[in-house]
Amino acid sequence: MLFDTHAHLNAIQYEEDLEEVIQRAVSENVTHIVVVGFDRQTITKAMELTNNYDMIYAAVGWHPVDAIDMTDEDLAWIKELSAHPKVVAIGEMGLDYHWDKSPKDVQKDVFRKQIKLAKEVNLPIIIHNRDATEDVVSILQEENASEVGGIMHCFTGSAEVAKQCLEMNFYISFGGPVTFKNAKKPKEVAKEIPMDRLLIETDCPYLTPHPFRGKRNEPSYVKYVAEQIAELREMDYEEFAQKTSDNARKVFGITR
């Protein structure tokens, strides 16, 4: 079995063929998918999908790029949704210094507010980090995010940063980039993460793995991430798939 821990099936890219995309995932033994909502529109769609598909769970939060748009009412709404039995995490949240839509101080404030909320409702957090590693790690430490832990989504950092995150009760998740031929660092780090803290994801429709790089990503392609890391770690594929699925169910508190 495979568990795609981070997907955006709530994106417009799936409006025409969502059912076919989900059926392809099922045919590749994907048993669980966490669909991540990160603003009003995508959170609403994520909740709809959890109601329509038994295998789909939701994470609800506010993306750092759009932090400037988040209101107190939005935060209260996320808190309300967190009580839903199929909402398994708060996020994605974090910092993104690549795009400049939201000022850094606003991003940091929204990030801290969501960590506090996650601690209040006792759910793990999903971290988005782009070009902001030092500040992300500092805020996680300052806010005692280890109390709830969570997932470093689509990790591309160093082994040293991974170690800091592991010490704060976080799991390390790898996506399509680990399959890229020039991805030397992610491949090296993927070999070093303790097996009980390793997760896989697609981040679909983005970051499509080899051999489909450049095309739309989808949950069925998580198998290519699993195959690559299993090979790097010289593990049996089935064993790797089972262990990463077990890890995902543990961090998300899913019992079936």
Side-chain angles (χ1 to χ4, degrees), residues 230-249:
E231 180 182 333
L232 289 168
R233 296 175 71 100
E234 300 181 345
M235 283 182 67
D236 173 73
Y237 169 78
E238 297 290 343
E239 180 187 5
F240 179 85
Q242 182 65 57
K243 286 191 173 182
T244 51
S245 293
D246 290 345
N247 293 344
R249 287 199 303 276

Side-chain angles (χ1 to χ4, degrees), residues 185-225:
K185 185 166 66 174
K187 292 179 192 294
E188 291 175 350
V189 176
K191 291 191 289 185
E192 297 183 26
I193 302 301
M195 191 61 231
D196 63 351
R197 294 289 198 88
L198 187 57
L199 299 172
I200 54 176
E201 63 173 88
T202 57
D203 197 23
C204 65
Y206 318 107
L207 300 177
T208 312
H210 177 80
F212 299 103
R213 189 174 182 182
K215 299 180 180 179
R216 184 190 68 174
N217 201 0
E218 60 180 70
S220 64
Y221 294 168
V222 76
K223 75 171 184 177
Y224 296 103
V225 179

Side-chain angles (χ1 to χ4, degrees), residues 95 97 104 108 111-112 132-140:
L95 301 174
Y97 293 169
K104 291 180 181 180
K108 290 176 182 178
F111 186 17
R112 291 180 190 276
T133 299
E134 185 176 343
D135 285 352
V136 165
V137 171
S138 293
I139 288 174
L140 291 173

